Amino acid sequence: MKRSFNQKRFFMFRVQIPMVLICCGIFLSAGCATKRIDPLSIPMLDADRIETSYPPTEDELVLRPYILLPLIVFKDQTVTKERLADIRHFIDTSLEKNGNFSIISPEETEALLAKEENRHFQPNNIADAIQLGASVNATFVSQMQITIIESKTVKNIDEFKANINLTVFTTDSGQVVIKQDVLYDSQDPERSHKKLRKLVQTYFPIRGYILETRGGHQVARISIGRGVGIALGRKIQVRDRVVKDEIVNGVSRRTVSFLANAYATTEVIKVMENDSWVLVKKEDQHNIKKGQVVFTLPE
């Protein structure tokens, strides 16, 4: 009888330990969680009225997507029409969601290349590609070389892995922004999308501006939001820019450059469709001003 009683006590002890640990974990996580902040409840102070030397113009506050002309310069014989459509959807979707791109459709691209005045253009020639892109007001042109590296049929479904050699360059200067091999695995599209998302977010950060601050720069409202993929917790870098107006051959010209060093790295705490609020660390608040430029960091 005594042995049975001890066994019961031992069993109860074993049950209680995990329960205590779980409760402690919940308590600690609740205590460490970031408190929800309502930015509008924070008053605007005199310091929040200070503006940067070069605030954005009304036109600069309009966030326009980058127009991209995509060109297929090579595809091996195993790239079927269905596989090509799958690959293009993979690339185009990521650029649109993560880099604020508007992609010229395959049909429009084919029609452009079929025009009499464009038939002599070679898509694999960078100079020709730039001229084609400029003719449709594209900001960027991409060249893709597609190779199927593995394929098999799984439950009557065509599954494959493709390597996409992706090059993206500007139409104004021909500067190469991306030149990377991208892997697409139709059986693991989530992993493929995650890797491409990081690549796009790294080379094509979304740019916006600080519209207002509150609490002596404790929080700031920025001009980019849910519409361009901003989500809670996204890291946003605050930088400054230099604007120079000069007269060249009797024509006024404005040049804009961005300082390399960041004043602060903030975190999104509230998201709307076209704007967001970010939280500024205490040690960075003295560097923040209305009108400064912000750039997204990769997720």
Side-chain angles (χ1 to χ4, degrees):
M1 186 74 178
K2 183 177 180 181
R3 183 178 179 183
S4 176
F5 179 72
N6 288 339
Q7 286 177 336
K8 288 181 179 179
R9 283 189 16 174
F10 179 70
F11 175 76
M12 291 295 293
F13 182 70
R14 289 185 61 186
V15 171
Q16 287 172 350
I17 288 178
M19 293 298 294
V20 170
L21 291 174
I22 291 172
C23 291
C24 289
I26 293 173
F27 176 78
L28 289 173
S29 61
C32 296
T34 303
K35 295 181 179 178
R36 182 169 294 182
I37 298 173
D38 178 12
L40 295 179
S41 68
I42 300 175
M44 186 175 290
L45 307 180
D46 289 340
D48 296 306
R49 294 179 173 83
I50 300 174
E51 194 171 50
T52 185
S53 303
Y54 304 105
T57 63
E58 289 295 325
D59 186 63
E60 287 174 323
L61 288 174
V62 178
L63 188 60
R64 298 179 177 87
Y66 301 123
I67 298 175
L68 174 73
L69 173 66
L71 299 172
I72 308 296
V73 299
F74 172 81
K75 56 185 176 72
D76 66 31
Q77 295 180 345
T78 59
V79 180
T80 61
K81 183 178 179 180
E82 291 75 18
R83 288 176 175 177
L84 180 60
D86 202 9
I87 292 167
R88 290 204 57 159
H89 178 73
F90 161 63
I91 297 289
D92 293 354
T93 300
S94 187
L95 287 168
E96 289 171 344
K97 287 185 176 181
N98 302 300
N100 192 33
F101 277 90
S102 175
I103 313 295
I104 295 175
S105 70
E107 295 75 19
E108 291 174 305
T109 301
E110 288 179 11
L112 177 67
L113 292 170
K115 288 184 177 180
E116 185 65 34
E117 63 269 25
N118 295 333
R119 288 182 180 177
H120 67 282
F121 284 121
Q122 300 297 319
N124 60 345
N125 182 287
I126 290 182
D128 286 352
I130 288 174
Q131 194 167 342
L132 279 169
S135 71
V136 289
N137 297 317
T139 318
F140 295 92
V141 175
S142 69
Q143 293 177 325
M144 289 181 283
Q145 301 178 48
I146 304 172
T147 307
I148 304 299
I149 56 179
E150 183 181 314
S151 64
K152 56 185 174 182
T153 302
V154 180
K155 296 181 180 180
N156 295 323
I157 297 175
D158 176 36
E159 303 288 3
F160 64 94
K161 292 181 181 179
N163 183 75
I164 306 107
N165 182 266
L166 176 66
T167 303
V168 181
F169 46 89
T170 62
T171 55
D172 56 358
S173 64
Q175 178 185 359
V176 175
V177 182
I178 289 181
K179 189 174 179 60
Q180 295 274 346
D181 285 326
V182 177
L183 178 66
Y184 174 65
D185 184 350
S186 65
Q187 286 190 287
D188 194 358
E190 186 175 342
R191 185 179 180 185
S192 301
H193 277 287
K194 186 176 180 179
K195 288 185 175 181
L196 182 55
R197 179 182 67 192
K198 185 175 181 180
L199 181 70
V200 173
Q201 289 180 347
T202 298
Y203 287 95
F204 297 101
I206 308 298
R207 186 175 71 206
Y209 296 90
I210 294 179
L211 301 175
E212 66 173 292
T213 68
R214 287 176 175 266
H217 312 140
Q218 291 181 36
V219 294
R221 185 166 66 92
I222 60 176
S223 63
I224 49 178
R226 190 182 300 110
V228 289
I230 304 301
L232 288 174
R234 186 74 180 270
K235 301 296 183 184
I236 306 291
Q237 200 175 64
V238 181
R239 292 161 63 184
D240 214 342
R241 62 179 188 156
V242 177
V243 179
K244 292 182 179 179
D245 292 308
E246 55 184 350
I247 304 297
V248 179
N249 297 326
V251 178
S252 177
R253 179 181 297 174
R254 167 172 284 203
T255 58
V256 180
S257 59
F258 302 100
L259 299 182
N261 295 329
Y263 285 139
T265 298
T266 65
E267 182 176 339
V268 174
I269 58 172
K270 185 175 182 179
V271 185
M272 288 79 75
E273 184 63 23
N274 298 314
D275 53 351
S276 306
W277 285 93
V278 297
L279 183 66
V280 184
K281 295 177 184 177
K282 188 174 182 180
E283 61 267 27
D284 295 329
Q285 290 172 9
H286 67 282
N287 287 324
I288 304 302
K289 294 179 183 178
K290 177 182 175 182
Q292 286 173 319
V293 68
V294 297
F295 290 92
T296 55
L297 292 176
E299 293 179 86

